[in-house]
Amino acid sequence: MRKHIVAANWKMNKTFQEGMALIEDVYKTLDGYKPNCEVLICPPSYFLGAIDKKYCDKLTFGAQDCSEHTSGAYTGEISAPMIASTVAKAVIIGHSERRAYHNEGSEMLAKKVDQALEAGLRPVFCVGEKLDQREDGTYMEVVAKQVKDALFHLSDKDFAKIILAYEPVWAIGTGKTASADQAQEMHANIRKVVAEKYGQEIADNCTILYGGSCKGENAPELFAKPDVDGGLIGGASLEASKFLPIIKAFDK
Ligand SMILES: O=C(CO)COP(=O)(O)O
């Protein structure tokens, strides 16, 4: 059966001290409790080298982005091998905020995915339509194209390492969640697109997360859908007490 994951994307929030305290808080809330999902925390990259390995028995860690280059004169960039030299085991790639504010398109994202895989990191690859694409009815094609253009050069073996995250841009940080039916419709279509290229078994094993105003109140309904395998959580991951109910949504 495919893996269920609840992932935190802290984005550009928390000072170092606040971040370390939040990791400790999340860890403590899991004391004496075994989640029915993997709990993945993606803080700003500069935290990663300082995270104590003791947390890794309950939490996994990841970065929010990596460079498309391996090393060299790219001031301010952080490479996949650098990330992989810390506790991190995963990296978010193609978040809509990177696509929008840093002009990241499929060609660049394909290179980032290659870098991550080469370094032994699991890419959490984000896709999602904008509001006008939802409204004009092209959202299925838009998202299918994002998946194909950045990922379909991969071998079966490499594609099997990809975690997908469907994050409708209109639902991110807006308080407007996709309904569970809207998420299910999209996730099922993504799985179909993957199956057409990589076969049913790889598609059935592919974890597809939902992201966009996911919180404790709506997570149980979203995660109950057959093709929704967890969440990629922004705002509600910034406090342990708000994050825990999302993790617990898999207990229901
Ligand atoms: O972008 C997101 C996670 O990557 C979702 O953010 P919010 O949960 O704040 O809407």
Side-chain angles (χ1 to χ4, degrees):
M1 216 191 58
R2 57 185 170 258
K3 197 174 235 179
H4 290 159
I5 302 173
V6 172
N9 175 9
W10 290 3
K11 309 191 180 183
M12 197 175 74
N13 291 295
K14 305 289 174 189
T15 63
F16 184 74
Q17 289 76 11
E18 289 166 351
M20 288 299 157
L22 177 54
I23 290 170
E24 176 70 19
D25 278 357
V26 172
Y27 188 74
K28 272 199 198 137
T29 61
L30 300 181
D31 199 23
Y33 164 71
K34 195 173 176 320
N36 285 314
C37 60
E38 177 181 334
V39 181
L40 170 65
I41 310 281
C42 301
S45 287
Y46 80 104
F47 288 32
L48 292 169
I51 294 172
D52 196 311
K53 283 201 175 66
K54 74 174 184 191
Y55 295 118
C56 297
D57 62 341
K58 287 185 182 283
L59 305 174
T60 47
F61 294 93
Q64 298 174 15
D65 178 43
C66 68
S67 171
E68 76 266 40
H69 305 290
T70 313
S71 65
Y74 301 102
T75 302
E77 289 291 285
I78 296 177
S79 72
M82 290 173 187
I83 294 164
S85 69
T86 71
V87 291
K89 299 276 184 261
V91 56
I92 297 171
I93 294 175
H95 192 280
S96 63
E97 288 148 18
R98 302 279 329 165
R99 292 177 189 259
Y101 309 142
H102 300 272
N103 281 323
E104 296 192 358
S106 294
E107 206 177 313
M108 181 195 280
L109 295 175
K111 290 184 194 157
K112 292 190 177 206
V113 168
D114 291 344
Q115 285 290 327
L117 290 169
E118 183 67 26
L121 297 168
R122 282 179 296 161
V124 179
F125 189 77
C126 302
V127 293
E129 81 284 2
K130 299 187 189 128
L131 184 59
D132 58 328
Q133 295 162 331
R134 167 66 51 177
E135 286 173 350
D136 70 17
T138 57
Y139 54 98
M140 287 294 191
E141 296 149 47
V142 167
V143 169
K145 187 165 163 39
Q146 289 172 340
V147 172
K148 288 179 190 172
D149 288 356
L151 300 176
F152 277 14
H153 65 287
L154 296 175
S155 65
D156 288 15
K157 197 164 156 268
D158 277 342
F159 189 87
K161 296 171 191 156
I162 302 286
I163 297 159
L164 291 171
Y166 168 56
E167 299 205 311
V169 178
W170 48 271
I172 297 177
T174 57
K176 219 175 164 185
T177 325
S179 69
D181 286 339
Q182 284 173 322
Q184 169 57 25
E185 180 195 33
M186 179 60 84
H187 285 221
N189 195 59
I190 293 171
R191 207 177 298 288
K192 181 169 147 274
V193 168
V194 170
E196 280 161 10
K197 167 80 176 168
Y198 291 102
Q200 201 59 49
E201 192 181 341
I202 287 180
D204 283 342
N205 286 326
C206 181
T207 297
I208 309 179
L209 309 179
Y210 168 79
S213 301
C214 183
K215 27 188 187 296
E217 295 81 35
N218 54 29
E221 196 190 346
L222 285 159
F223 298 176
K225 292 292 177 187
D227 288 292
V228 179
D229 308 313
L232 181 54
I233 319 300
S237 73
L238 297 174
E239 279 176 51
S241 61
K242 291 194 174 144
F243 192 46
L244 183 66
I246 305 176
I247 297 168
K248 288 197 164 169
F250 275 116
D251 295 351
K252 301 205 166 84

